Amino acid sequence: PEPFDIVALTYRTLSSFGQSFAAKDLEIILNADESVIVNSNPVLVQLLIHNLLSNIAHYAKKNTSVNIAIIAGENISLEFTNQTTNQNLKRMKQSQVLLNALQDAPANENKYSSGNGLFLVKDLAKLLDGTYTMSTSQNAVTIRITIPALSGNQDEA
């Protein structure tokens, strides 16, 4: 583990999705302190954020807002909320069950989902000693990842 600014890391990771988000006319709203220092594995955290943003790029409805919140405290909560279709919500819920075969997607849905994206997000959260939750309401999905602000053996510092 090493100290790094998770807000700056999120902005850097977001910048690599500029064209994907622009193509869908997505408005990105980031609610966070100017800087949040975390002592964790920055590579795993970036991979986690990248995977969440990749899922949003594929599954968010066009012309909608994406809300990202970074909430600092004893733990750090990362909340990603976006609008999607009912079919995508159904597929996401189905993918929560291991080895659940996903049905063929209609023409207007993403055809290339393996269902593994959420498993990767869950596994990365576990590797970071954190938790993963997914909640849905109407046509919105929120993924919340909570990780410790301090990770690893602090006596070594």
Side-chain angles (χ1 to χ4, degrees), residues 17-26 57 62-63:
F17 287 91
Q19 289 182 340
S20 299
F21 288 170
K24 290 187 111 174
D25 198 22
L26 298 176
K62 290 183 177 183
N63 304 308

Side-chain angles (χ1 to χ4, degrees), residues 37-153:
I37 303 301
V38 181
N39 190 48
S40 190
N41 182 320
V43 174
L44 289 180
V45 173
Q46 184 168 24
L47 187 57
L48 175 71
I49 293 169
H50 188 277
N51 191 271
L52 288 164
L53 293 174
S54 178
N55 285 338
I56 289 170
H58 282 94
Y59 298 110
K61 271 186 166 179
K62 290 183 177 183
N63 304 308
T64 60
S65 296
V66 174
N67 292 289
I68 301 169
I70 300 172
I71 303 156
E74 185 175 319
N75 293 308
I76 306 297
S77 289
L78 306 169
E79 297 179 8
F80 293 75
T81 302
N82 64 280
Q83 300 291 314
T84 191
T85 65
N86 285 331
Q87 185 65 27
N88 280 338
L89 286 174
K90 181 179 173 185
R91 288 166 53 104
M92 289 175 81
K93 289 176 185 176
Q94 287 175 338
S95 75
Q96 299 289 300
V97 181
L98 190 60
L99 301 177
N100 187 349
L102 294 174
Q103 300 171 354
D104 291 335
N108 65 337
E109 304 291 337
N110 191 308
K111 300 175 189 176
Y112 305 106
S113 173
S114 66
N116 291 329
L118 295 178
F119 287 118
L120 177 60
V121 168
K122 286 184 207 178
D123 286 345
L124 289 169
K126 274 188 201 175
L127 287 171
L128 292 162
D129 295 323
T131 60
Y132 158 96
T133 58
M134 180 181 81
S135 59
T136 60
S137 67
Q138 298 179 345
N139 288 340
V141 60
T142 298
I143 304 289
R144 178 180 292 124
I145 306 297
T146 302
I147 61 172
L150 299 174
S151 181
N153 187 345

